Amino acid sequence: MDYRKIVIEDVPELAKIYAETFNSAPWYDKWTQKTAEKRLSRMIENGGFFGIVSNKDCVLDVFYGVDYHSHLGTRRAGLAAVSSEKGFQRDI
């Protein structure tokens, strides 16, 4: 399975998923396409954001973590994805 970094052009599609997810249980928020796009755009444009996307179902394949100090620039955080074809793929 191939993964790639999230880019600003991904925001409209990601906003659909974001709104659908957080408007459902257990959150029951009131996100619209517009408010979700604004939120995600700000996250992506801010320094320190990193995310990956896949065109295939990857619910069991993505491992992620946050290092409390990563936002201070004193530590690194990263993502790792695993597939039967390529093994572990990671980015820091």
Side-chain angles (χ1 to χ4, degrees):
M1 189 174 301
D2 289 320
Y3 299 93
R4 65 172 175 76
K5 292 181 182 181
I6 291 174
V7 295
I8 199 72
E9 291 80 15
D10 294 320
V11 167
E13 185 65 27
L14 294 174
K16 290 177 193 174
I17 297 166
Y18 191 93
E20 182 180 329
T21 300
F22 288 105
N23 289 344
S24 301
W27 302 280
Y28 299 109
D29 290 340
K30 304 289 185 214
W31 292 96
T32 65
Q33 179 72 22
K34 184 176 179 178
T35 59
E37 284 184 19
K38 186 174 180 179
R39 166 80 169 147
L40 292 172
S41 293
R42 286 182 177 170
M43 289 173 58
I44 291 169
E45 290 169 347
N46 270 343
F49 173 84
F50 178 80
I52 59 174
V53 293
S54 171
N55 289 324
K56 294 184 180 180
D57 184 3
C58 60
V59 173
L60 300 176
D61 297 336
V62 178
F63 305 91
Y64 61 92
V66 176
D67 181 334
Y68 173 76
H69 297 286
S70 63
H71 72 283
L72 301 174
T74 58
R75 300 279 192 276
R76 292 184 172 189
L79 292 171
V82 65
S83 74
S84 58
E85 299 90 24
K86 293 188 175 183
F88 277 96
Q89 301 173 64
R90 66 185 178 103
D91 208 324
I92 296 175

